[in-house]
Amino acid sequence: MAGTDSSREDLAAAAGPAIVLVEPQLGENIGACARAMLNCGLTDLRLVRPRDGWPNPKAEAMASGATAVLERARVYDTTAEACADLSYVLATTARTRDMKKPALTPRAAAGELRARIGSGQGTGVLFGPERAGLVNEDVTLADAVLSVPLNPAFSSLNLAQAVLLIGYEWYQAGDATPASALMDESSPPATVATREFFLARLEALLEEAGFFYPEHIGPTMKRNLRTLFTRAGMSDQEVQTLHGVLRALSEGPRRRTRTD
Amino acid sequence: MAGTDSSREDLAAAAGPAIVLVEPQLGENIGACARAMLNCGLTDLRLVRPRDGWPNPKAEAMASGATAVLERARVYDTTAEACADLSYVLATTARTRDMKKPALTPRAAAGELRARIGSGQGTGVLFGPERAGLVNEDVTLADAVLSVPLNPAFSSLNLAQAVLLIGYEWYQAGDATPASALMDESSPPATVATREFFLARLEALLEEAGFFYPEHIGPTMKRNLRTLFTRAGMSDQEVQTLHGVLRALSEGPRRRTRTD
């Protein structure tokens, strides 16, 4: 399972936790959940007693193209039946219950799910109905609970947003995107020699123009200029552009001075 | 700025990046963004040329109580004006642009934003209009771009979901919730002595009942049972419950045998 590549090529084969919606009320929310799932490469949607029956045309309208997830969705009478083939189940819950059960953050849960799926276990995440959340009986069935740390004064999420955040962490845990990179790598970074040649020319022109005055501040100003241009991580092409800038600025006014 | 506590007590004072929506179209989406922001403790909403004017009653209907964010929202004519007081600006973008600019994941961006806000800098995140995304001119204005790694075959997010994922990472970067904990800490874990007393009693009763047969498997079965009960991380109260279970199971049938 190699993250992005497998999910690009064959979503059906991409193993991930089942998303189990218990007694979802609005078809629109089921559709929005399907979209959020597919955003995160998840395709195994299970519905326990959806209030308005199944299939539900309102779900399709909100799925924004994630119809493959809806078509593959399965409907069950009980949460236990929906989880029968799973051996590690997480219950999402906003509030603390009076149960001695492990409570995970979405990030920790993503690591745990990846590890268990990697060793061949079926896994799933339970989400309760829109307003009430999961009943205690369903939470008891789960191996651990899962809560999203959010602003305690305003923490309520809609169903699809909760699915998105859990799915997002699942996806990140298997994704290899570098935390920081340059967007356009087409023009390679300039070598030190190229940079030095530019900086020396800049300094010579400024020297000629009387920029480094009084003389004792020269070394500090040169160091500051070098620090600025080095920090910018210039490409070859950008150094060429700056040579053009130097030419324009240094020759332009002179020519004007001559013709004036 | 101490994460959860400060956001619980005084949201207005909680420093966080400004969320700058450039030419948002639907009021509903602005409202959903305000809700997602407040979920993550963000309150500085800035709108650049909102299509349907401002204020917009449809925004309030979708904000699910995050009206304080909407009331505090400010409207600008240009992106540059909306960012005038900021010194570090990120542009969210789904596609790669032909620009030599740093590209960050939401998680890396959250760390960068926290560091800069910690040193007193104003920061913001730009989001483009619903369908088209940011124009290049706005991306150029930003210090770096920000993309959410998602299923490349299905990566489109709605505006509020994009705000939620960025805000979520921002919140997590300052949140101290333990990755894994026990939900109910009211009953403390049992000591080794308490556990050993129970396990010895269990073994004695099973020994008496002829459970460890043939004799050579005894040590292995005892080890397996001990492993199982130790892994469960029992509390004092749970050990007491199990003593009751032993009593019921071992005495119940005997009594019945006598009366039969």
Side-chain angles (χ1 to χ4, degrees):
Chain A
M1 259 254 341
T4 43
D5 276 349
S6 77
S7 48
R8 184 182 292 125
E9 284 162 30
D10 185 9
L11 271 172
I19 298 298
V20 185
L21 305 183
V22 181
E23 295 186 359
Q25 302 181 337
L26 296 171
E28 290 86 338
N29 288 339
I30 301 174
C33 286
R35 179 185 179 180
M37 285 174 62
L38 195 53
N39 279 150
C40 305
L42 299 176
T43 55
D44 184 354
L45 175 60
R46 305 179 181 197
L47 306 172
V48 180
R49 299 187 300 276
R51 189 190 65 184
D52 299 337
W54 194 256
N56 182 334
K58 286 180 181 165
E60 200 156 327
M62 276 294 285
S64 302
T67 40
V69 174
L70 294 177
E71 282 163 11
R72 205 175 288 138
R74 284 168 287 177
V75 179
Y76 300 87
D77 286 333
T78 67
T79 307
E81 285 173 65
C83 298
D85 60 324
L86 308 179
S87 44
Y88 185 70
V89 176
L90 296 171
T92 54
T93 171
R95 60 209 156 82
T96 302
R97 317 273 179 139
D98 183 22
M99 284 182 214
K100 206 169 179 65
K101 226 176 235 300
L104 306 179
T105 61
R107 196 161 300 167
E112 188 71 33
L113 290 167
R114 289 261 169 201
R116 287 177 182 266
I117 289 169
S119 68
Q121 297 177 39
T123 66
V125 184
L126 304 179
F127 294 82
E130 281 88 339
R131 301 213 167 267
L134 289 168
V135 297
N136 277 338
E137 191 190 357
D138 288 337
V139 177
T140 305
L141 178 148
D143 296 87
V145 299
L146 180 51
S147 299
V148 183
L150 286 172
N151 177 4
F154 194 81
S155 62
S156 111
L157 290 171
N158 73 35
L159 193 53
Q161 284 174 317
V163 168
L164 178 67
L165 289 180
I166 310 300
Y168 167 80
E169 285 285 8
W170 155 263
Y171 193 86
Q172 302 315 303
D175 183 67
T177 305
S180 176
L182 271 181
M183 191 162 46
D184 175 19
E185 296 283 11
S186 63
S187 175
T191 61
V192 169
T194 304
R195 273 156 31 187
E196 285 297 311
F197 181 76
F198 165 73
L199 290 167
R201 189 174 162 213
L202 173 65
E203 284 170 6
L205 284 167
L206 290 174
E207 197 87 66
E208 208 184 308
F211 178 78
F212 299 117
Y213 181 84
E215 222 168 80
H216 71 272
I217 64 157
T220 304
M221 296 203 67
K222 285 179 188 172
R223 197 174 59 231
N224 291 349
L225 280 172
R226 280 173 178 263
T227 301
L228 168 62
F229 281 103
T230 304
R231 196 172 65 236
M234 297 178 290
S235 67
D236 269 340
Q237 200 183 297
E238 287 166 335
V239 175
Q240 291 317 310
T241 304
L242 288 176
H243 276 293
V245 168
L246 286 189
R247 204 175 309 120
L249 291 177
S250 58
E251 294 179 4
R254 273 191 211 148
R255 205 179 301 129
R256 217 173 295 132
T257 310
R258 273 183 222 125
T259 51
D260 274 353
Chain B
M1 260 256 339
T4 45
D5 277 348
S6 77
S7 49
R8 186 181 291 127
E9 283 161 32
D10 185 7
L11 271 171
I19 298 298
V20 185
L21 306 183
V22 181
E23 294 186 0
Q25 302 181 338
L26 297 171
E28 289 87 337
N29 288 339
I30 301 173
C33 286
R35 179 185 180 179
M37 285 174 63
L38 195 53
N39 279 151
C40 306
L42 300 176
T43 55
D44 185 355
L45 174 60
R46 305 180 181 197
L47 307 172
V48 180
R49 298 186 301 276
R51 189 190 65 183
D52 299 337
W54 194 256
N56 183 333
K58 287 181 180 164
E60 200 156 327
M62 275 295 284
S64 302
T67 40
V69 175
L70 294 178
E71 281 162 12
R72 207 175 287 139
R74 284 169 286 178
V75 179
Y76 300 87
D77 286 333
T78 66
T79 307
E81 285 173 66
C83 299
D85 61 324
L86 308 178
S87 44
Y88 185 71
V89 177
L90 296 170
T92 55
T93 171
R95 59 209 158 81
T96 303
R97 318 271 179 139
D98 183 23
M99 285 181 215
K100 203 168 181 67
K101 226 177 236 299
L104 305 179
T105 61
R107 195 162 299 168
E112 188 70 34
L113 290 167
R114 290 260 170 202
R116 288 176 182 268
I117 289 169
S119 68
Q121 296 178 38
T123 66
V125 185
L126 306 179
F127 294 82
E130 282 88 339
R131 302 214 166 267
L134 290 167
V135 298
N136 277 338
E137 192 189 357
D138 288 337
V139 177
T140 304
L141 177 148
D143 295 87
V145 299
L146 179 51
S147 300
V148 184
L150 287 172
N151 176 5
F154 193 80
S155 62
S156 112
L157 290 172
N158 73 33
L159 193 51
Q161 284 174 317
V163 169
L164 178 68
L165 289 180
I166 310 301
Y168 167 80
E169 284 285 9
W170 155 263
Y171 193 86
Q172 303 314 303
D175 182 67
T177 305
S180 177
L182 271 181
M183 190 161 43
D184 174 19
E185 297 283 10
S186 62
S187 176
T191 61
V192 169
T194 304
R195 274 156 31 186
E196 284 299 309
F197 181 76
F198 164 74
L199 291 166
R201 190 174 161 214
L202 173 65
E203 284 170 7
L205 285 167
L206 291 174
E207 196 88 64
E208 208 184 307
F211 178 77
F212 298 118
Y213 181 85
E215 224 169 79
H216 72 271
I217 64 157
T220 303
M221 295 202 69
K222 285 178 188 173
R223 197 174 60 229
N224 291 349
L225 280 172
R226 280 173 177 264
T227 300
L228 167 61
F229 280 103
T230 304
R231 195 170 66 233
M234 297 178 289
S235 69
D236 270 340
Q237 200 183 296
E238 286 168 334
V239 175
Q240 291 318 309
T241 303
L242 289 176
H243 276 292
V245 168
L246 287 190
R247 203 175 310 122
L249 292 178
S250 58
E251 295 178 5
R254 272 188 212 150
R255 206 180 301 133
R256 215 175 296 133
T257 311
R258 273 182 223 127
T259 51
D260 274 356

